[in-house]
Amino acid sequence: MDHTTERAEKVVEELTGQFGKMLRRWVNNSSESETATLDELEETVRGGLHSLGNKVLQGLIDVVGTGKTADSVPCPRCGESMAFVRYQGKWVQTLLGTIRPERAYFHCAECRQGHVPLDHQLGLGADSLSGGLEEALCLLAARMPLEEAADTLRRLLLLQADDNTVQRAVLRVGSELAALQKRRAKQAWQRAQPPKMEVDEPPERLYITVDGTTAHLQEGWKEVKVGAIYETEQVSQPDGSIDIRAVRITYVVSFEEAQTFARHVYLEAARRGLHHAQEVVVLGDGAEWIWNRIAPFCDRPVEIVDFYHGTEHVWNAGQALYGEGTEETEQWVTQRLGELLEQGPDALLTSLWTASPGAPAKVKSILGREINYFDKHKQRMQYPKLRAAGYHIGSGSVESACKRIIGARLKQAGMIWTREGAQAVAHLRATILCNRWDAFWTSYDRTTRTFRQAA
């Protein structure tokens, strides 16, 4: 029997014996107890299996070995043969508790770099967390405050992790997601080539909608731009009407300026089939950067100003004419919105022009601004035709994205973020809500680490 087989058999024998003793103790205690409850039995078994699982994991790590073999170890950087220096242990927190792999450390005399082959084999990063635990921390912290994530981990998995451990995992992984987004944009522009379409079939009608929200950073409230790329489907309602719903939604989030954000949106839309779609729709709130930065990426896009943002401008005009909160304002606005929705912007503009001549100077100024707004965007506000053709005319998808990605996690009471922390959490949430977490995590390399020779 060789050394490796002997070691494996010894681990199996030890662990089998430990489990047997544990199981007999549980059975004896249960048979002698007349008051045991299911909760008590469950807690006993859960704690015991967690402890045993930790021992099993440590045993498996011991069987894997240290990474030292009879073969020479080439330097990952220069290819020269590396010299074995020593064995060094490393405490690693896992989903089954803390273990300590013993690893062989090698050094390259040529480029003066150290290397630990076992770390690369096991997928150990520069931190003290296993991949499974790091993923669990990120998934929890993306949904709840750090202290709640640590408490949830303790209650569900019997693991102790302080707030700082959770924070480091979030910053590490979230920052990698943000960096990945930047690298993809840089590569695409250097190659002057869009990414490949990732969907099986090109969409018939692809929507691109963007909006902005804010997050409270240490330097003050700062804008966060959010994009939603989606398709739609028609759903019949009980009353016979048709509801148009957004489906297959993916998100883009960025704290960067409009031009850079627009590139990220374009790349995500390209992955979704932008250049193969039968039709592309750009839907926004009327901000100039949307039409100047987003729409030019598309070939003859259908441009739509979100109806609900349009209603805000109607309300501005109504309140200027009849005051805030009055019955006259509500009646006037209701009539104008009906005109806008059923007849289009020309009917609304006529009503605004009619109301303007006899108005006081201050009111006339406000009406003038709103007239300019609707006149400027009237080709993007042909709502009767758009609705008849089955288009989405509301930006609810991206507004929902702003709330789900930013509002629900970054804007809770009393939260003030570092820019790095806010960006990391935003990217974590966007990736999870896009259903792209598994694909990212599978490709995420946690082992990029280099050891420099100590002085």
Side-chain angles (χ1 to χ4, degrees):
M1 182 180 291
D2 61 38
H3 179 67
T4 301
T5 304
E6 182 180 355
R7 182 171 54 193
E9 288 298 325
K10 183 178 179 181
V11 168
V12 170
E13 183 179 348
E14 290 178 354
L15 293 175
T16 302
Q18 291 179 25
F19 179 67
K21 291 179 182 179
M22 185 183 297
L23 185 57
R24 281 191 288 272
R25 184 171 64 252
W26 291 345
V27 172
N28 291 337
N29 291 342
S30 298
S31 64
E32 296 172 358
S33 175
E34 297 181 356
T35 61
T37 66
L38 174 60
D39 288 349
E40 291 171 343
L41 294 174
E42 182 181 51
E43 191 65 20
T44 297
V45 173
R46 191 165 76 110
L49 290 180
H50 187 271
S51 175
L52 181 64
N54 176 260
K55 295 174 182 177
V56 171
L57 184 58
Q58 181 67 65
L60 294 177
I61 291 294
D62 293 341
V63 169
V64 168
T66 64
K68 187 176 185 297
T69 66
D71 299 329
S72 63
V73 176
C75 175
R77 174 171 292 185
C78 69
E80 292 294 322
S81 180
M82 305 184 81
F84 170 72
V85 178
R86 61 181 176 272
Y87 293 108
Q88 56 186 39
K90 176 181 174 65
W91 293 106
V92 180
Q93 292 176 275
T94 78
L95 290 172
L96 294 169
T98 302
I99 60 173
R100 185 176 172 82
E102 195 73 15
R103 306 121 70 236
Y105 170 76
F106 296 81
H107 182 260
C108 177
E110 183 68 25
C111 59
R112 303 179 65 80
Q113 298 296 315
H115 181 53
V116 181
L118 186 63
D119 285 357
H120 291 263
Q121 178 183 338
L122 298 179
L124 294 178
D127 52 85
S128 59
L129 302 178
S130 71
L133 180 55
E134 184 174 54
E135 181 183 24
L137 293 176
C138 289
L139 292 174
L140 287 173
R143 293 173 168 88
M144 61 187 71
L146 302 182
E147 61 273 13
E148 291 183 20
D151 183 63
T152 301
L153 191 76
R154 177 183 61 80
R155 291 176 180 274
L156 296 183
L157 298 181
L158 306 180
L159 294 174
Q160 299 291 339
D162 58 28
D163 299 357
N164 290 332
T165 300
V166 182
Q167 183 181 46
R168 286 195 298 271
V170 168
L171 286 175
R172 186 164 48 246
V173 179
S175 296
E176 171 57 24
L177 282 166
L180 177 61
Q181 179 174 269
K182 292 182 179 180
R183 288 198 301 270
R184 284 174 171 168
K186 182 178 180 180
Q187 291 170 2
W189 255 255
Q190 286 178 340
R191 297 172 183 171
Q193 182 179 346
K196 294 181 180 179
M197 183 179 73
E198 296 182 357
V199 294
D200 295 332
E201 296 182 3
E204 293 184 7
R205 185 178 283 172
L206 185 68
Y207 285 80
I208 302 173
T209 178
V210 297
D211 201 357
T213 184
T214 56
H216 195 180
L217 307 186
Q218 291 178 344
E219 63 261 37
W221 288 92
K222 298 297 179 181
E223 184 182 36
V224 189
K225 295 181 177 64
V226 180
I229 293 86
Y230 62 94
E231 301 168 56
T232 56
E233 64 180 13
Q234 295 185 350
V235 180
S236 299
Q237 300 300 301
D239 61 1
S241 62
I242 300 295
D243 186 23
I244 302 174
R245 296 182 182 175
V247 294
R248 295 179 287 279
I249 309 174
T250 53
Y251 304 111
V252 178
V253 62
S254 176
F255 286 73
E256 298 164 289
E257 76 284 353
Q259 180 176 354
T260 302
F261 171 68
R263 290 185 174 186
H264 298 322
V265 172
Y266 163 72
L267 292 176
E268 176 59 25
R271 296 168 72 188
R272 292 292 307 275
L274 171 69
H275 296 294
H276 304 276
Q278 295 181 22
E279 195 172 41
V280 177
V281 182
V282 177
L283 180 60
D285 63 3
E288 282 302 312
W289 70 270
I290 296 175
W291 317 114
N292 294 340
R293 302 291 188 185
I294 304 295
F297 286 133
C298 314
D299 184 18
R300 296 188 301 276
V302 176
E303 298 181 6
I304 303 175
V305 168
D306 165 43
F307 176 76
Y308 300 103
H309 278 91
T311 64
E312 295 177 357
H313 290 266
V314 177
W315 276 102
N316 288 342
Q319 290 169 354
L321 284 167
Y322 301 105
E324 187 172 351
T326 66
E327 184 177 346
E328 291 87 347
T329 296
E330 187 168 347
Q331 290 178 351
W332 186 88
V333 169
T334 300
Q335 292 174 352
R336 302 293 81 77
L337 292 179
E339 290 174 350
L340 180 60
L341 192 61
E342 301 297 335
Q343 302 176 49
D346 288 335
L348 172 62
L349 282 167
T350 298
S351 296
L352 291 173
W353 284 324
T354 300
S356 181
K362 184 176 180 180
V363 174
K364 186 179 294 186
S365 175
I366 295 174
L367 293 178
R369 288 200 302 269
E370 302 307 342
I371 287 172
N372 288 336
Y373 174 83
F374 286 104
D375 186 58
K376 180 179 182 179
H377 295 296
K378 66 180 180 179
Q379 295 304 317
R380 302 181 177 118
M381 306 175 81
Q382 300 296 322
Y383 300 125
K385 295 179 181 178
L386 293 168
R387 295 174 68 205
Y391 288 97
H392 234 194
I393 63 170
S395 61
S397 297
V398 74
E399 291 178 11
S400 174
C402 289
K403 294 175 182 177
R404 295 179 72 196
I405 297 172
I406 305 301
R409 179 65 180 88
L410 273 71
K411 299 176 82 167
Q412 296 184 31
M415 287 186 172
I416 302 177
W417 297 80
T418 64
R419 178 174 288 271
E420 183 184 20
Q423 179 176 260
V425 171
H427 279 274
L428 283 175
R429 288 184 63 80
T431 304
I432 293 168
L433 292 172
C434 282
N435 293 319
R436 283 192 166 143
W437 175 261
D438 289 342
F440 161 73
W441 194 255
T442 300
S443 63
Y444 175 43
D445 183 7
R446 305 178 67 253
T447 64
T448 52
R449 59 186 299 170
T450 299
F451 297 91
R452 294 189 179 278
Q453 185 182 35

